[in-house]
């Protein structure tokens, strides 16, 4: 997750929460490989859907 966090310029905690949501709606799959987890897009997700999800995450505001 550290590498992904760097790529998307989010904290590890934020990345973890985003991935949790994406797993919850079956947009990504997760496979543990030793100490790492490899995430893959689900087959039914296309680029437009992914872009919409990314835009929605960018609009989220932290709650106090």
């Amino acid at each position: 997750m550290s590498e992904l966090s760097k790529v998307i310029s989010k904290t590890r905690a934020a990345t973890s929460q985003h991935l949790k949501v994406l797993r919850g709606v079956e947009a990504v799959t997760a496979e543990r490989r030793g100490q790492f987890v490899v995430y893959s897009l689900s087959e039914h997700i296309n680029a437009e859907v992914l872009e919409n999800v990314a835009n929605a995450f960018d609009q989220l505001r932290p709650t106090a």
Side-chain angles (χ1 to χ4, degrees), residues 1-34:
M1 185 175 352
S2 295
E3 292 179 27
L4 182 57
S5 298
K6 290 175 188 174
V7 170
I8 64 172
S9 301
K10 301 288 182 192
T11 65
R12 289 182 71 183
T15 303
S16 176
Q17 291 300 310
H18 291 342
L19 288 168
K20 180 179 177 182
V21 170
L22 292 171
R23 285 191 316 266
V25 296
E26 299 179 352
V28 297
T29 59
E31 178 184 341
R32 181 161 291 282
R33 295 185 187 166

Side-chain angles (χ1 to χ4, degrees), residues 19-62:
L19 288 168
K20 180 179 177 182
V21 170
L22 292 171
R23 285 191 316 266
V25 296
E26 299 179 352
V28 297
T29 59
E31 178 184 341
R32 181 161 291 282
R33 295 185 187 166
Q35 68 183 36
F36 300 101
V37 177
V38 177
Y39 293 92
S40 302
L41 283 178
S42 296
E43 293 178 9
H44 66 280
I45 298 298
N46 64 35
E48 182 179 350
V49 171
L50 187 60
E51 185 175 340
N52 290 338
V53 170
N55 289 335
F57 280 136
D58 286 342
Q59 293 176 19
L60 294 176
R61 297 186 192 273

